[in-house]
Short mmCIF file of all heavy atoms in Angstrom, two decimals:
data_model
loop_
_atom_site.label_atom_id
_atom_site.label_comp_id
_atom_site.label_asym_id
_atom_site.label_seq_id
_atom_site.Cartn_x
_atom_site.Cartn_y
_atom_site.Cartn_z
N ASP J 27 21.04 -12.47 22.27
CA ASP J 27 21.43 -12.30 23.68
C ASP J 27 22.95 -12.13 23.82
O ASP J 27 23.69 -12.14 22.83
CB ASP J 27 20.90 -13.45 24.55
CG ASP J 27 21.53 -14.80 24.22
OD1 ASP J 27 22.62 -14.82 23.61
OD2 ASP J 27 20.93 -15.84 24.59
N GLU J 31 23.17 -15.87 21.03
CA GLU J 31 22.06 -16.74 20.65
C GLU J 31 20.85 -15.90 20.24
O GLU J 31 20.54 -14.88 20.87
CB GLU J 31 21.67 -17.65 21.81
CG GLU J 31 22.78 -18.59 22.27
CD GLU J 31 23.10 -19.65 21.23
OE1 GLU J 31 22.17 -20.07 20.51
OE2 GLU J 31 24.28 -20.05 21.12
N ASN J 60 14.22 -12.25 28.94
CA ASN J 60 14.82 -11.00 29.39
C ASN J 60 15.76 -10.48 28.30
O ASN J 60 16.71 -11.17 27.91
CB ASN J 60 15.59 -11.24 30.69
CG ASN J 60 16.12 -9.95 31.29
OD1 ASN J 60 16.03 -8.88 30.69
ND2 ASN J 60 16.70 -10.06 32.48
N GLU J 71 17.61 1.99 10.22
CA GLU J 71 17.62 2.84 11.42
C GLU J 71 16.22 2.89 12.05
O GLU J 71 15.24 3.21 11.39
CB GLU J 71 18.05 4.26 11.02
CG GLU J 71 17.94 5.29 12.14
CD GLU J 71 18.23 6.70 11.65
OE1 GLU J 71 18.76 6.85 10.51
OE2 GLU J 71 17.94 7.65 12.38
N GLU J 77 4.99 11.52 13.38
CA GLU J 77 4.10 11.98 12.32
C GLU J 77 3.78 10.84 11.36
O GLU J 77 4.01 10.92 10.16
CB GLU J 77 4.74 13.15 11.55
CG GLU J 77 5.04 14.37 12.41
CD GLU J 77 6.35 14.25 13.17
OE1 GLU J 77 7.24 13.51 12.71
OE2 GLU J 77 6.46 14.87 14.24
N ARG J 109 17.81 10.82 14.58
CA ARG J 109 17.22 10.91 15.92
C ARG J 109 17.57 9.70 16.77
O ARG J 109 17.74 9.80 17.99
CB ARG J 109 15.70 11.06 15.83
CG ARG J 109 15.22 12.39 15.28
CD ARG J 109 13.74 12.54 15.58
NE ARG J 109 13.13 13.67 14.91
CZ ARG J 109 11.85 14.01 15.04
NH1 ARG J 109 11.06 13.30 15.81
NH2 ARG J 109 11.36 15.05 14.39
N LYS J 112 20.95 10.00 18.56
CA LYS J 112 20.93 10.91 19.71
C LYS J 112 20.23 10.28 20.92
O LYS J 112 20.71 10.37 22.05
CB LYS J 112 20.24 12.21 19.33
CG LYS J 112 21.00 13.03 18.29
CD LYS J 112 20.22 14.28 17.91
CE LYS J 112 20.98 15.09 16.85
NZ LYS J 112 20.22 16.29 16.42
N TYR J 121 25.42 2.22 19.52
CA TYR J 121 24.68 2.26 18.26
C TYR J 121 25.64 2.41 17.10
O TYR J 121 26.58 3.21 17.14
CB TYR J 121 23.69 3.43 18.26
CG TYR J 121 22.90 3.59 16.97
CD1 TYR J 121 22.05 2.60 16.53
CD2 TYR J 121 23.01 4.76 16.21
CE1 TYR J 121 21.33 2.74 15.36
CE2 TYR J 121 22.29 4.91 15.04
CZ TYR J 121 21.44 3.90 14.62
OH TYR J 121 20.74 4.04 13.45
N PRO J 125 28.33 0.84 7.20
CA PRO J 125 28.66 1.76 6.10
C PRO J 125 28.24 1.16 4.75
O PRO J 125 28.09 -0.06 4.62
CB PRO J 125 30.18 1.89 6.19
CG PRO J 125 30.63 0.61 6.82
CD PRO J 125 29.54 0.23 7.78
N ALA J 142 12.79 4.90 -0.42
CA ALA J 142 13.51 6.18 -0.47
C ALA J 142 13.03 7.03 -1.65
O ALA J 142 12.87 8.25 -1.51
CB ALA J 142 15.01 5.92 -0.58
N ALA J 167 -19.36 -10.27 -22.67
CA ALA J 167 -19.84 -9.25 -23.59
C ALA J 167 -21.01 -8.46 -23.04
O ALA J 167 -21.24 -7.31 -23.43
CB ALA J 167 -20.22 -9.89 -24.93
N LEU J 207 -16.92 -2.32 -1.64
CA LEU J 207 -15.49 -2.07 -1.46
C LEU J 207 -15.06 -2.12 0.00
O LEU J 207 -14.39 -1.23 0.52
CB LEU J 207 -15.10 -0.71 -2.07
CG LEU J 207 -15.44 -0.52 -3.55
CD1 LEU J 207 -15.03 0.88 -4.00
CD2 LEU J 207 -14.78 -1.58 -4.41
N SER J 209 -13.58 -4.82 3.32
CA SER J 209 -12.80 -6.03 3.56
C SER J 209 -13.66 -7.18 4.03
O SER J 209 -13.30 -8.34 3.87
CB SER J 209 -11.70 -5.75 4.59
OG SER J 209 -12.28 -5.55 5.87
N GLY J 210 -14.81 -6.85 4.63
CA GLY J 210 -15.71 -7.90 5.10
C GLY J 210 -15.46 -8.32 6.53
O GLY J 210 -16.18 -9.16 7.06
N ARG J 239 -22.22 6.90 6.03
CA ARG J 239 -22.16 7.37 7.42
C ARG J 239 -21.41 6.38 8.30
O ARG J 239 -20.93 6.74 9.38
CB ARG J 239 -23.57 7.59 7.96
CG ARG J 239 -24.34 8.68 7.22
CD ARG J 239 -25.59 9.10 7.97
NE ARG J 239 -26.41 9.99 7.16
CZ ARG J 239 -26.17 11.27 6.96
NH1 ARG J 239 -25.10 11.83 7.52
NH2 ARG J 239 -26.97 12.01 6.21
N LEU J 259 -25.83 13.90 -2.42
CA LEU J 259 -24.79 12.96 -2.01
C LEU J 259 -24.23 13.32 -0.64
O LEU J 259 -24.01 12.45 0.21
CB LEU J 259 -23.68 12.93 -3.06
CG LEU J 259 -24.08 12.33 -4.42
CD1 LEU J 259 -23.06 12.70 -5.48
CD2 LEU J 259 -24.21 10.81 -4.30
N ALA J 282 -6.10 14.30 -8.80
CA ALA J 282 -6.96 13.56 -7.88
C ALA J 282 -6.13 12.77 -6.87
O ALA J 282 -6.44 12.75 -5.68
CB ALA J 282 -7.87 12.62 -8.67
N GLU J 346 8.52 -5.13 -12.92
CA GLU J 346 9.82 -5.44 -12.33
C GLU J 346 9.65 -6.30 -11.08
O GLU J 346 8.64 -6.20 -10.37
CB GLU J 346 10.55 -4.14 -11.97
CG GLU J 346 10.83 -3.25 -13.18
CD GLU J 346 11.38 -1.89 -12.82
OE1 GLU J 346 11.35 -1.53 -11.62
OE2 GLU J 346 11.83 -1.19 -13.75
N ARG J 349 6.52 -11.62 -9.16
CA ARG J 349 6.28 -12.82 -8.37
C ARG J 349 4.93 -13.41 -8.80
O ARG J 349 3.94 -12.69 -8.90
CB ARG J 349 6.27 -12.49 -6.88
CG ARG J 349 6.04 -13.70 -5.98
CD ARG J 349 6.29 -13.35 -4.52
NE ARG J 349 5.29 -12.47 -3.97
CZ ARG J 349 5.40 -11.85 -2.80
NH1 ARG J 349 6.50 -11.99 -2.09
NH2 ARG J 349 4.44 -11.07 -2.34
N VAL J 359 -0.31 -12.50 -10.17
CA VAL J 359 0.92 -11.95 -10.73
C VAL J 359 1.14 -10.57 -10.10
O VAL J 359 0.30 -9.67 -10.23
CB VAL J 359 0.84 -11.80 -12.27
CG1 VAL J 359 2.13 -11.22 -12.82
CG2 VAL J 359 0.54 -13.16 -12.91
N TRP J 363 5.45 -1.49 -11.08
CA TRP J 363 5.32 -0.81 -12.35
C TRP J 363 6.62 -0.06 -12.64
O TRP J 363 7.14 0.62 -11.76
CB TRP J 363 4.15 0.18 -12.30
CG TRP J 363 3.78 0.77 -13.63
CD1 TRP J 363 4.09 2.02 -14.08
CD2 TRP J 363 3.03 0.16 -14.67
NE1 TRP J 363 3.58 2.21 -15.35
CE2 TRP J 363 2.92 1.07 -15.73
CE3 TRP J 363 2.44 -1.11 -14.82
CZ2 TRP J 363 2.25 0.80 -16.92
CZ3 TRP J 363 1.77 -1.38 -16.00
CH2 TRP J 363 1.68 -0.44 -17.02
#
Side-chain angles (χ1 to χ4, degrees):
D27 66 19
E31 298 292 327
N60 186 354
E71 173 186 347
E77 299 83 26
R109 290 195 190 181
K112 294 178 181 178
Y121 178 62
L207 303 179
S209 69
R239 297 194 189 282
L259 292 164
E346 299 172 349
R349 181 170 70 192
V359 180
W363 190 258

